[in-house]
Amino acid sequence: MKSILLKLPLIFSLSILVSCAINLKSANGADGTKGENATNGKIGKNGGNGENGQDQALINLSKSPEQNTQKTKTPNIDTTLVRNHLYTLASDEMEGRATGTPGIEKAAQYIENEYKKIGLKTFQNLKTYRQNFEQKGIKMFNVIGLLEGKSKKDEIVIVSAHYDHLGVKKSGDGDRIYNGANDDASGVVGVLTLAKYFAEQNNNERSILFVCFTAEEMGLIGSKYFGKQIDPKKFVAGINLELIAKEPKTGPKTAWLTGFERSNFGEIIQKNLKGTGYKLFPDPYKSFNLFFRSDNASLARLGVPSHTFSTTPIDIDPDYHKVTDEAETLDVSILTETIKAVFVGTASIINGKDTPTRVKLEK
């Protein structure tokens, strides 16, 4: 989410720049201290799980009767895949992914290569996955991949996250890299993982556009540019992911959604998650105005029911917009489970069964 200054009661004052970040120190380094994941589960030093070095902790969300009637099957999302994406995108090699730097170029290339492996198409008249533009004297680009729909090809659902972060401190001792693992490498991991599994299912009735936005930390620049290039009437829903790798104050197996009351998008997700053991709640931080602080806002202002999923207790998170936002501070199992819940929760929208109401901005 983009940076904002929040004035909280006399007890404390937090300067919150709402954008999503976490630092990962190596592409496949140890997760946690002495082989222990930050929250739960034993993690081997090479990304393995427990005694045999293999991380096969597949998330098992049982399906409700409603979901059993849907075409989309619940995938077994491998946490090893999730971890590999996370540790790569949040590694020191990416140098904090600041817009206009060599670090964000490396991140973009990684995302493009994954899109290509998945088999995504380019969007509109773009010749590559990049949507290039220039602003503030900086060359920028969103990274966009398309999975075409079947019977409702012209109706689009966007799955998004921002892949930029804060870069490197200009001076100081010790660690100076803002790795942005939770903010928002975690969201990008969600985009890549969902793209893979929706493509493998190959039964999405609506088209799905997977977008990694640039320059969110500079004021939602990438998503605002994107919004000017589209016909919003073709966009049925926006699924934005940010800070999704820590346990929220609502407890295990839960997430929260910004702007819950502004459309019935959240109610659709709740219906689809019944019987799975996973729950979705409205944003508990209303005073932070988070609905307008992430890339979902750029589409919501055009009327698209676009909302942000998050799990992080940002009011007390010690790593937000700090160099300590690294992969080792995250729980890969929470990230994996959240991605799977988004997959299950949005299935009826992807398959054309449900259409969220257009967003209301006046509330």
Side-chain angles (χ1 to χ4, degrees), residues 58-61 63 72-78 193-194 196-198 200-201 336 339-344 347:
L58 305 182
I59 307 302
N60 293 315
L61 291 177
K63 292 195 291 182
T72 301
K73 297 179 181 179
T74 304
N76 285 325
I77 296 178
D78 191 342
T193 307
L194 290 168
K196 178 181 186 296
Y197 284 99
F198 275 122
E200 288 179 354
Q201 301 257 321
T336 306
I339 294 169
K340 185 166 186 178
V342 172
F343 184 98
V344 173

Side-chain angles (χ1 to χ4, degrees), residues 290-361:
L290 299 181
F291 182 73
F292 293 104
R293 299 296 176 177
S294 192
D295 288 313
N296 68 282
S298 298
L299 290 179
R301 292 186 186 280
L302 301 175
V304 180
S306 181
H307 303 259
T308 294
F309 288 86
S310 187
T311 66
T312 300
I314 61 171
D315 56 336
I316 59 173
D317 182 31
D319 306 308
Y320 178 77
H321 274 201
K322 292 183 172 63
V323 296
T324 54
D325 182 11
E326 303 180 353
E328 290 84 357
T329 68
L330 303 183
D331 190 319
V332 175
S333 65
I334 288 177
L335 176 56
T336 306
E337 194 163 4
T338 302
I339 294 169
K340 185 166 186 178
V342 172
F343 184 98
V344 173
T346 60
S348 66
I349 298 174
I350 299 293
N351 288 335
K353 177 182 176 182
D354 289 320
T355 301
T357 55
R358 302 305 278 182
V359 77
K360 297 178 181 179
L361 295 180

